[in-house]
């Protein structure tokens, strides 16, 4: 009877919709009628839901409420009966007003409820509560909320806090369930990175353990070796000069006086002595350099102000 009444009222109550939407809504309504006749309540309700979404006709809303009532979704059916009753009052359809009142009176004790409690320790100025993905205002906290039977999800969130998710299974036939939101924990921040290591300044004078630093020893060794090479070079020069003056023909006295020969021999003797001293000092310096470069770790080189002290263990 309801389906026939809805079809009869279709042209006069349909809102301004496209022809395609109206045609699809009517086709869905017809399919729902066949499915209800076959006892396929769930499939019929889905068809009516889509038909109502396209064109919210009073007859469609009323039949959807009846379908949800048969499906066991008392809360949805109660809300739709209220909507259909308001439409019926607007259209002066007393028969539909009476029908909606009759169904709502029978449904009222069967509607299940969900209560969401937020204690003082959990309440925060920025606390947000959502039920099944829909934000819930503070005025609804602690109030009985009509819900359909099944699983419902309560989500609590706040700035700087770990979100909390609570799942509640609500039964049918007037079941009442309570979900209590606990205090939200603070989000643990990662520890700050450690400061970069500071480079310690080397003490001066350096400690005893650094006196045998290889780099300092080798610098002194290179200096000594350089001085030794210079000494050897000078010794070679003086030696060659001494030989050249000694072998000069004028160095042999062939006539009196022998002044030239005496001078050349004296110069040759001086260069020979200089060559000997230079070779000796050069070889000594090379020996010190080699000893510092290849010597054992018992050698200590200590730089000072204007001097270098070299000590060794033998």
């Amino acid at each position: 009877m309801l389906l026939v009444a809805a079809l009869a009222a279709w042209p006069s109550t349909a809102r301004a919709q496209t022809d395609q939407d109206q045609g699809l809504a009517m086709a869905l309504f017809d399919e729902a009628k066949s499915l209800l006749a076959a006892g396929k309540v769930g499939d019929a309700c889905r068809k009516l839901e889509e038909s109502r979404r396209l064109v919210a006709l009073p007859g469609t809303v009323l039949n959807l409420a009846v379908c949800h009532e048969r499906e066991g979704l008392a809360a949805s059916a109660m809300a739709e009966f209220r909507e259909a009753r308001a439409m019926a009052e607007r259209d002066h359809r007393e028969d539909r007003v009476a029908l909606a009142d009759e169904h709502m009176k029978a449904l009222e004790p069967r509607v299940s409820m969900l209560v969401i409690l937020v204690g003082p320790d959990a309440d925060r100025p920025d606390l947000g509560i959502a039920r099944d993905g829909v934000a819930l205002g503070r005025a609804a906290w602690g109030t009985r909320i009509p819900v359909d039977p099944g699983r419902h999800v309560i989500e609590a969130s706040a700035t700087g806090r770990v979100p909390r998710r609570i799942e509640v299974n609500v039964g049918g036939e007037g079941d009442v369930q309570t979900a209590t939101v606990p205090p939200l924990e603070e989000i643990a921040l990662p520890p700050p990175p450690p400061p970069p290591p500071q480079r310690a300044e080397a003490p001066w004078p350096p400690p005893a353990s650094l006196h045998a630093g290889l780099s300092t020893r080798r610098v002194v060794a290179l200096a000594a070796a350089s001085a030794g090479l210079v000494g050897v070079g000078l010794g070679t020069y003086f030696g060659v000069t001494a030989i050249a003056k000694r072998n000069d023909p004028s160095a042999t006295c062939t006539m009196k006086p022998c002044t030239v020969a005496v001078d050349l021999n004296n110069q040759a003797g001086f260069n020979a002595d200089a060559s000997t001293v230079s070779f000796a000092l050069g070889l000594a310096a090379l020996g010190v350099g080699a000893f510092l470069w290849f010597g054992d770790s018992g050698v200590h080189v200590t730089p000072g102000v204007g001097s270098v002290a070299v000590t060794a263990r033998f």
Side-chain angles (χ1 to χ4, degrees), residues 23-47:
L24 178 57
M26 182 174 291
L28 291 169
F29 190 90
D30 291 339
E31 290 181 7
K33 180 175 63 175
S34 300
L35 291 170
L36 278 174
K40 298 180 179 180
V41 178
D43 294 338
C45 291
R46 304 295 85 76
K47 299 287 185 180

Side-chain angles (χ1 to χ4, degrees), residues 42-231:
D43 294 338
C45 291
R46 304 295 85 76
K47 299 287 185 180
L48 289 170
E49 288 170 358
E50 181 61 13
S51 178
R52 176 198 178 186
R53 189 188 68 81
L54 293 171
V55 183
L57 298 173
T60 304
V61 175
L62 188 59
N63 280 275
L64 180 58
V66 173
C67 188
H68 280 157
E69 181 182 17
R70 292 178 59 182
E71 196 177 16
L73 305 179
S76 296
M78 180 68 78
E80 291 153 358
F81 275 124
R82 288 196 179 99
E83 182 182 356
R85 189 184 189 283
M87 290 179 173
E89 285 186 338
R90 180 197 64 194
D91 297 336
H92 305 290
R93 293 293 304 269
E94 298 299 330
D95 55 335
R96 292 187 179 181
V97 171
L99 181 63
D101 287 340
E102 178 183 352
H103 280 269
M104 286 191 294
K105 183 177 180 180
L107 271 176
E108 188 173 359
R110 298 172 53 193
V111 177
S112 300
M113 300 288 179
L114 175 62
V115 182
I116 300 175
L117 298 179
V118 180
D121 55 342
D123 196 3
R124 296 173 50 87
D126 58 348
L127 181 64
I129 302 294
R131 175 183 62 86
D132 298 329
V134 179
L136 198 64
R138 283 181 171 269
W141 300 358
T143 302
R144 289 192 172 194
I145 304 171
V147 294
D148 291 324
R151 184 177 65 90
H152 296 272
V153 178
I154 296 92
E155 296 172 301
S157 60
T159 304
R161 302 283 171 164
V162 180
R164 189 66 179 266
R165 177 186 174 97
I166 305 172
E167 295 186 4
V168 180
N169 289 314
V170 180
E173 301 300 325
D175 184 30
V176 179
Q177 293 291 333
T178 300
T180 302
V181 178
L184 301 183
E185 298 179 358
E186 292 186 9
I187 296 177
L189 298 178
Q198 296 183 353
R199 187 174 182 179
E201 296 183 359
W204 188 260
S209 59
L210 297 180
H211 287 175
L214 186 58
S215 60
T216 304
R217 285 179 53 196
R218 291 200 167 184
V219 168
V220 177
L222 289 174
S226 299
L229 291 176
V230 172

Side-chain angles (χ1 to χ4, degrees), residues 238 241-243 245-246 260-274:
F238 285 123
T241 302
I243 294 173
K245 290 184 180 295
R246 182 74 68 180
V260 176
V262 171
D263 289 340
L264 288 174
N265 282 286
N266 289 337
Q267 292 176 12
F270 173 80
N271 288 326
D273 293 339

